Amino acid sequence: MQLRLSDPSYTDRLALFLRSLGQTVLDAGPTQLEVDTRRPELEIYLRVWTVLYPDAEVQVGGNGADDAPAA
C-alpha cells in the first residue's frame, strides 16, 4: 500500500511509527512510503497517527486505485 504525505518532514516519523507497530515500511521518496499491510489495519494505525500529528496529511493509495484520504 502506498502512502503519500503532504509534508516531507513527517515521512521518517510515520515510517518509525509504523515500524514500531511491526509493519514493514519502505521509503519510496521524500513524501512516499510503501507499507505491506492490509488497508483496514493500516487505516486504524493512521487514525492513531492523526491524533498524534493532526497537521500531517496522509493519503492512502495502491493497487491502481485513485488516492483516497486516510480516515
Side-chain angles (χ1 to χ4, degrees):
M1 188 74 55
Q2 185 178 64
L3 301 178
R4 292 185 185 163
L5 292 92
S6 60
D7 183 344
S9 68
Y10 289 107
T11 306
D12 287 340
R13 287 184 232 180
L14 180 55
L16 288 172
F17 172 74
L18 293 170
R19 287 180 182 127
S20 75
L21 297 168
Q23 302 305 305
T24 301
V25 181
L26 300 174
D27 185 358
T31 60
Q32 293 184 317
L33 298 171
E34 289 284 337
V35 184
D36 187 22
T37 302
R38 293 177 296 136
R39 187 174 184 122
E41 185 177 347
L42 181 60
E43 288 180 355
I44 292 169
Y45 298 150
L46 292 177
R47 285 185 190 144
V48 174
W49 170 257
T50 58
V51 170
L52 297 171
Y53 298 96
D55 295 334
E57 294 179 28
V58 181
Q59 291 189 337
V60 179
N63 301 330
D66 292 335
D67 289 343

